Amino acid sequence: MGLAPVWRLRRGRAAQAGTVAPPPAAATASREQQILRLDWDSLQSRVAGCTDCKLRASCSQTVFGVGDARAEWMLVGEAPGAEEDRLGEPFVGQAGKLLDNMLAAIGLRRGDNVYIGNVLKCRPPGNRNPEPAEVAACSPYLLRQIELIQPKLILAMGRFAAQTLLSTEATIASLRGALHGYAGVPLIVTYHPAYLLRNLPDKAKAWADLRFAVRTMEGLR
Ligand code: URA
């Protein structure tokens, strides 16, 4: 009872001064702002129902990511391929087998303190390169995943993930071996497992990257 007159008075003054009460935040927030407010479950649902770029029309399903949503390690690849599109999980084809072996070599296992995701949640037709509009549409989802997981370290796998997350056109060779950052999270660049399947000699470099990542993680704990 006692507060009501004060509230009315304030409203009255605002109206007199010509100010208009702002509409509710949700009504004015951009698409990206809305995504960056979602909790984990809502984010998953939003991705599952996303038709904001043309990729959803040609893929079988969205591939959100897999693993421990409180993981210290976050691995980011490019986009689902044929097997991932079929099964709804990232890195389940040949490249995924190599990735699992790479993780095992540093004492990690898919789903155990590791989260694996991609820049794009939908498979580009014929595994073509992602287009800028597709990356722009999908990037807020990855950013929100990272914000919610709060990994200690991101491993960007391959040119596409590295260049997208670091907003650069620099080569993998020039980005390897240094500590970068994305969204406030330390980030290390390494080769994509699919590339390593075609370029076996570079496995030694990837192994060096993994050891660098382990040392970095030890320093971050
Ligand atoms: N390549 C990627 O970049 N991501 C996958 O999920 C599978 C293959």
Side-chain angles (χ1 to χ4, degrees):
M1 175 99 180
L3 286 179
V6 177
W7 176 78
R8 282 199 203 104
L9 181 65
R10 288 209 181 113
R11 240 177 131 222
R13 279 189 188 148
Q16 278 165 24
T19 56
V20 177
T28 52
S30 68
R31 173 182 177 272
E32 177 165 356
Q33 286 169 333
Q34 288 176 17
I35 291 170
L36 296 180
R37 286 185 194 138
L38 298 176
D39 65 19
W40 189 256
D41 289 346
S42 312
L43 184 65
Q44 260 184 304
S45 307
R46 172 91 186 224
V47 168
C50 181
T51 53
D52 293 347
C53 82
K54 62 180 182 291
L55 287 182
R56 185 64 189 89
S58 59
C59 72
S60 330
Q61 59 183 317
T62 56
V63 179
F64 186 70
V66 68
D68 178 353
R70 300 195 176 278
E72 291 182 317
W73 292 84
M74 178 143 183
L75 277 55
V76 180
E78 179 174 327
E83 280 300 282
E84 291 76 20
D85 180 64
R86 195 170 66 80
L87 297 172
E89 182 171 330
F91 285 98
V92 287
Q94 284 306 310
K97 292 199 177 85
L98 176 56
L99 179 60
D100 287 341
N101 290 339
M102 289 162 67
L103 288 173
I106 54 170
L108 293 174
R109 204 158 41 95
R110 176 185 294 249
D112 186 3
N113 202 21
V114 178
Y115 193 86
I116 305 174
N118 283 309
V119 174
L120 293 192
K121 311 304 185 211
C122 289
R123 180 190 185 209
N127 294 348
R128 67 155 167 75
N129 285 338
E131 293 176 359
E134 295 157 0
V135 178
C138 227
S139 290
Y141 295 137
L142 178 62
L143 175 57
R144 189 60 181 153
Q145 284 178 304
I146 292 169
E147 285 182 347
L148 290 169
I149 295 170
Q150 295 187 286
K152 284 201 188 321
L153 185 65
I154 297 171
L155 197 60
M157 300 181 295
R159 181 177 66 86
F160 185 79
Q163 291 183 342
T164 302
L165 293 179
L166 297 177
S167 299
T168 178
E169 303 213 331
T171 60
I172 290 280
S174 66
L175 296 170
R176 288 181 55 244
L179 194 55
H180 306 273
Y182 175 72
V185 181
L187 180 150
I188 286 174
V189 169
T190 192
Y191 292 104
H192 193 285
Y195 166 87
L196 294 173
L197 288 173
R198 301 187 304 268
N199 298 273
L200 295 180
D202 279 340
K203 273 190 177 177
K205 294 183 193 162
W207 175 233
D209 297 337
L210 291 180
R211 279 179 297 150
F212 173 47
V214 168
R215 284 198 305 280
T216 304
M217 179 63 89
E218 283 165 2
L220 290 169
R221 282 185 178 132

